[in-house]
Amino acid sequence: MTPNLASPPAIPTPHSNGHGHTATPAATDPTASLAGALRSKTHDLHVMAEKHPFQQRLLRGQVSRDELAAYLHELAHVHAALERAFESTAHPIPRSLFRDHHYRSGLAKHDVAALDGLFAELPRTRSAKSFVSAIDDLASADPVSLVGVLYVLEGATNGNVFLARALEQSLGLERRVATSSLDPHGDDQRPRWMAFRSLLDTLSVPEAEAGRIVAAARATFRAVHDIADELAPSRG
């Protein structure tokens, strides 16, 4: 049964004990790579995300244009918040990771318009609003943890390529016309992801900060799950 994640996740900061809807993982092994730690310590939530009914419908091309537009609308606001956060921080670790090709909100807005959706100034779901607020808080309280959020959202593009192809076929869309935010890298997908993972492992991150990055990644998986739940509630 899919866990009940109706309540918005809390992203722990240095001033938080990590209690709430997202448990802080055990301290990251200082001898392990950061990319490896992120992968292993979020594996359970990654599997849960892939099994979500809404994600399964996306993969099978079983959503309407309106449903896809609603989903991408919320993700556009999430990406916009993350972009603002990376632009505003002076912390060297997140600044060293963010590249021009990580900008995604403009692509999502374009996709919403291509699907004949209307773009609102704010997210429409409570979960997306909560997640945007959490990202804003990280930007000021714990910017290094933004790395965990970026890891999940950028990593999602690996699977989203397959979603894009399925949706294009089922909805009669031209390639990447209304799915550019799902498949932002095109043929550069794998090399850019591998470069991102390699860059993660060049970072000198203290153990405590690495633990918070992992906690933020876990919270991100839960937040995206909650958004999907609001748009298409799971039956458990």
Side-chain angles (χ1 to χ4, degrees), residues 210-224:
R212 297 202 306 275
I213 289 172
V214 170
R218 290 182 62 84
T220 299
F221 271 113
R222 292 183 181 273
V224 175

Side-chain angles (χ1 to χ4, degrees), residues 53-54 56-64 67 166-167 170-171:
F54 188 67
Q56 289 295 307
R57 288 178 58 212
L58 287 169
L59 183 59
R60 295 174 183 137
Q62 295 175 343
V63 298
S64 67
E67 287 176 309
L167 292 163
S170 65
L171 297 177

Side-chain angles (χ1 to χ4, degrees), residues 24 40 42 44 49 51 53-54 64 68 79-80 97 114 126 133 135 154 197 205 228 233:
T24 304
S40 65
T42 62
D44 58 327
K51 291 182 177 179
F54 188 67
S64 67
L68 179 58
H79 280 289
L97 280 175
R126 176 188 52 77
S133 178
I135 292 171
E154 186 60 23
R197 281 181 52 89
V205 183

Side-chain angles (χ1 to χ4, degrees), residues 163-175:
L163 299 184
R165 300 294 86 80
L167 292 163
E168 288 160 0
Q169 182 174 0
S170 65
L171 297 177
L173 304 170
E174 293 185 30
R175 189 179 177 93

